[in-house]
Amino acid sequence: MSYTPNSSRYSEMQYRRCGKSGLKLSAISLGLWHNFGHVDQLENCSDILKLAFDRGITHFDLANNYGPPPGSAEENFGRLLKRDFSGYRDEMIISTKAGYTMWDGPYGDWGSKKYLVSSLDQSLKRLNLDYVDIFYHHRPDPETPLEETMAALDLVVRQGKALYVGISNYQPIEAARAIQLLKEFGTPCIIHQPKYSMYERWIEDGLLDLLGNEGVGCIPFSPLAQGMLTDKYLKGIPSDSRAAKAHGALQENQITEERLVQLNQLNAIAESRGQKLAQMALSWILRDDRITSVLVGASKPEQLADSLACLSNTTFSKTELDQIENILM
Ligand SMILES: NC(=O)c1ccc[n+]([C@@H]2O[C@H](COP(=O)([O-])OP(=O)(O)OC[C@H]3O[C@@H](n4cnc5c(N)ncnc54)[C@H](OP(=O)(O)O)[C@@H]3O)[C@@H](O)[C@H]2O)c1
């Protein structure tokens, strides 16, 4: 049966400006790193995407290597875009990236112009698109001159293959240089995608200040620490969870006894706020207005619905913030 999106999809979502750019993103964005590869069920992927779109999520984040196998998340997304969402491309912000190993030989990894331009061409074929909205350099390359990598981002915008560009996993000093170079090229860096959660706080040591001052947006990834910052592991490891899957990036041994004690304490604070732990973990990130959007993953539509409920309470009292800090110390 053909899909008709919910007509009130824009009424409840918040849209936040991406730095000082003209672009607004939904406060929650959906990432396709896990759960959208050829190893996954296409109809479940379709259900998650429809739920997302019905609830006002406009931003869908991919990368050349998402799957498994690498490339298959872009292929599946491209297929579903054509089948379920034809006519809605202009209501979506679709991003992809290059920077990690994608193909053999010296041109399938890191940050050369050769790699970035060819990789985006391949991504566009898999996605069945003429252009992506945001193209990222996925991680800094210690060998390629930053000028070359940023020139490649500038080039793909001038070629019409991307509307905006961003960087991911760049530390503050290298991010500052990249932002400056892109400014000089006339293709501003509009967004940075770093790892950030209650368990991963490095962006508080300079990166958020830099992005705030430069007017660059910030979209944290793995905000739930890949599912750890939810109530799912409190009573053991569910067989359908990321920690239990052979291709999941979360390892069982990361869910330590010490973590479980913390998670139970955090869960109690979430309950006192009338939230689930996952919702509180997302609200906690959105409390800072330098954050444009939070980039979540989901293996089921119900999880995404659950996460979206964080939007009804994104403010914290000083006491709550102090209690959370004490637990995380
Ligand atoms: N730029 C980069 O280098 C980089 C790196 C990593 C990720 N990313 C991006 O960030 C996106 C999100 O990363 P992530 O998937 O690690 O994010 P995450 O939101 O921290 O983890 C998502 C996982 O948490 C579980 N989950 C989600 N909502 C839940 C809920 N309400 N209740 C219980 N469990 C819930 C699910 O795990 P189960 O599978 O166990 O059900 C889901 O697959 C990626 O898809 C990608 O777009 C970027």
Side-chain angles (χ1 to χ4, degrees):
M1 214 168 64
S2 75
Y3 161 68
T4 306
N6 171 11
S7 57
S8 59
R9 60 190 174 280
Y10 293 116
S11 60
E12 284 185 17
M13 177 55 71
Q14 300 162 19
Y15 296 93
R16 294 161 70 132
R17 188 166 298 283
C18 189
K20 285 191 196 131
S21 76
L23 187 67
K24 287 183 181 176
L25 297 180
S26 44
I28 303 285
S29 299
L30 179 68
L32 285 75
W33 176 32
H34 281 65
N35 310 309
F36 287 84
H38 287 172
V39 296
D40 300 294
Q41 298 296 321
L42 191 68
E43 291 318 310
N44 188 51
C45 305
S46 166
D47 290 345
I48 297 172
L49 292 173
K50 287 174 187 161
L51 187 274
F53 198 60
D54 279 343
R55 298 290 297 275
I57 290 180
T58 52
H59 181 27
F60 300 90
D61 181 71
L62 293 116
N64 56 356
N65 59 341
Y66 291 175
S72 61
E74 288 181 331
E75 276 173 15
N76 278 343
F77 185 74
R79 193 179 307 169
L80 294 173
L81 204 54
K82 191 168 174 195
R83 188 190 80 179
D84 298 333
F85 296 94
S86 88
Y88 297 99
R89 169 67 181 99
D90 294 342
E91 296 184 39
M92 293 181 173
I93 297 298
I94 300 166
S95 59
T96 194
K97 321 181 189 77
Y100 284 95
T101 311
M102 191 56 195
W103 64 87
D104 290 343
Y107 316 119
D109 203 349
W110 293 107
S112 67
K113 185 179 273 189
K114 170 72 177 168
Y115 170 46
L116 294 193
V117 174
S118 345
S119 179
L120 179 54
D121 285 343
Q122 293 180 16
S123 290
L124 291 173
K125 282 200 189 97
R126 285 189 291 264
L127 289 162
N128 200 18
L129 291 175
D130 298 328
Y131 70 95
V132 290
D133 298 284
I134 307 173
F135 184 57
Y136 286 92
H137 188 220
H138 210 159
R139 62 166 166 176
D141 177 351
E143 292 185 357
T144 300
L146 195 58
E147 288 77 1
E148 175 174 335
T149 307
M150 294 305 116
L153 296 186
D154 172 61
L155 175 67
V156 296
V157 169
R158 288 178 198 281
Q159 288 177 326
K161 295 174 189 167
L163 298 183
Y164 302 98
V165 295
I167 53 179
S168 179
N169 299 306
Y170 275 58
Q171 293 292 318
I173 291 178
E174 51 205 2
R177 276 197 64 218
I179 291 166
Q180 182 56 34
L181 282 165
L182 284 169
K183 215 182 271 177
E184 287 165 16
F185 284 127
T187 295
C189 176
I190 69 149
I191 197 161
H192 188 305
Q193 189 177 124
K195 191 176 191 179
Y196 182 53
S197 71
M198 284 181 181
Y199 280 154
E200 185 82 41
R201 307 279 295 267
W202 70 273
I203 72 171
E204 294 170 9
D205 294 328
L207 186 72
L208 266 178
D209 288 340
L210 171 77
L211 300 179
N213 293 337
E214 291 286 344
V216 174
C218 182
I219 180 163
F221 69 80
S222 298
L224 299 174
Q226 299 201 53
M228 245 190 307
L229 283 163
T230 71
D231 55 12
K232 74 185 321 152
Y233 294 112
L234 297 182
K235 294 191 173 61
I237 299 188
S239 59
D240 61 348
S241 64
R242 189 176 296 187
K245 285 181 188 160
H247 58 268
L250 179 65
Q251 304 301 315
E252 269 191 48
N253 61 15
Q254 288 172 257
I255 305 159
T256 59
E257 281 305 315
E258 194 193 347
R259 279 269 151 103
L260 284 170
V261 171
Q262 282 182 334
L263 291 169
N264 273 297
Q265 291 170 337
L266 291 170
N267 195 43
I269 300 182
E271 279 175 3
S272 71
R273 286 168 51 81
Q275 288 186 310
K276 294 179 77 174
L277 178 51
Q279 293 159 357
M280 182 174 82
L282 301 173
S283 304
W284 180 85
I285 294 179
L286 285 166
R287 79 195 186 287
D288 188 320
D289 60 15
R290 292 169 298 184
I291 302 290
T292 313
S293 179
V294 178
L295 183 47
V296 300
S299 64
K300 303 174 184 67
E302 306 80 57
Q303 284 179 348
L304 185 59
D306 195 39
S307 297
L308 279 160
C310 76
L311 294 173
S312 58
N313 185 6
T314 54
T315 54
F316 286 78
S317 69
K318 173 147 187 349
T319 311
E320 287 171 334
L321 289 175
D322 290 345
Q323 285 172 337
I324 291 170
E325 287 306 318
N326 286 335
I327 294 168
L328 294 174
M329 264 187 347

